[in-house]
Amino acid sequence: MKVEKVPIDLDKRRHLVYDLDAVYELEQVYGSFAKAIKSVRLDAFDDTAKVLYFGLRHEDDTLSVAAADHLIDVTNRFEVIEKIIKAVSLSLPDSSAVQTTNQQTQQPDSLDDSGWEWDWLYYMGTVLLGMSEAVFWSSTPRKLFSLWAIHKRVNGWEETESPEKTRAQAWIDQYI
């Protein structure tokens, strides 16, 4: 699965991606990824620049928050916010892929104010899925959870309904 990058024209053509590294760092700065995304508003100049910076730094390690702030002005502010939201939505997993066998794992697509279970995600990616550390951190949450869903299916770890429940549902469906 390829990571989807959102092109954005600033000082030059750049690409926004909110990979696991960006999500982790935003969570460290804001307390949660949800709070970081909620901070992106037309009137929140500093916060929009920070979130933009974390989405762009994967392709430009010389970029700083101050430099990202200079890329935003009154003529492109709305477009920048729109592109950030699009990149975030492309980075978050589909809700169907987030089902895990670990009940403590926070579902990343439910943008609440609690943090993600980073220990579990790191273990899932590096140990169970066999990713290198670099591959793990450069993956988006969508990619990680898609791979995890396939891994569970291939290994027979998906929860299945009991035969009794299936028969009972069939009986109910027959008469309704």
Side-chain angles (χ1 to χ4, degrees):
M1 168 181 240
K2 189 173 181 179
V3 171
E4 294 185 54
K5 299 176 181 182
V6 175
I8 184 168
D9 294 317
L10 297 165
D11 58 334
K12 61 182 180 181
R13 170 70 49 113
R14 294 178 181 264
H15 300 88
L16 281 167
V17 171
Y18 291 93
D19 55 18
L20 291 169
D21 186 48
V23 172
Y24 178 82
E25 293 297 332
L26 282 166
E27 199 171 273
Q28 298 305 303
V29 171
Y30 287 92
S32 79
F33 186 57
K35 288 178 184 174
I37 300 310
K38 290 175 187 175
S39 73
V40 176
R41 301 182 318 270
L42 285 173
D43 62 339
F45 297 96
D46 292 340
D47 291 320
T48 302
K50 282 181 199 167
V51 176
L52 177 66
Y53 161 73
F54 285 111
L56 293 175
R57 75 179 191 163
H58 68 96
E59 68 181 11
D60 184 356
D61 55 357
T62 64
L63 191 66
S64 66
V65 175
D69 186 42
H70 291 301
L71 299 174
I72 306 170
D73 59 34
V74 293
T75 63
N76 69 357
R77 176 164 297 284
F78 184 77
E79 179 188 5
V80 168
I81 292 171
E82 183 179 64
K83 297 284 185 163
I84 287 172
I85 292 169
K86 182 176 181 179
V88 167
S89 69
L90 289 173
S91 296
L92 291 176
D94 295 328
S95 59
S96 62
V98 179
Q99 304 302 321
T100 67
T101 57
N102 182 340
Q103 295 299 322
Q104 296 177 350
T105 302
Q106 184 67 34
Q107 293 188 10
D109 64 333
S110 61
L111 286 177
D112 62 13
D113 289 338
S114 62
W116 294 7
E117 295 285 338
W118 286 102
D119 294 340
W120 166 245
L121 294 175
Y122 186 77
Y123 177 80
M124 179 187 5
T126 59
V127 176
L128 299 175
L129 296 176
M131 296 176 162
S132 69
E133 187 171 351
V135 170
F136 171 79
W137 288 112
S138 65
S139 297
T140 61
R142 178 177 296 236
K143 181 177 178 177
L144 178 68
F145 279 90
S146 293
L147 291 172
W148 179 242
I150 292 168
H151 183 78
K152 288 190 329 179
R153 189 176 15 185
V154 167
N155 288 291
W157 297 351
E158 288 183 328
E159 293 181 24
T160 58
E161 291 185 357
S162 68
E164 294 82 18
K165 185 175 179 181
T166 303
R167 281 194 299 273
Q169 186 64 44
W171 185 82
I172 292 169
D173 289 345
Q174 184 178 19
Y175 291 101
I176 293 183

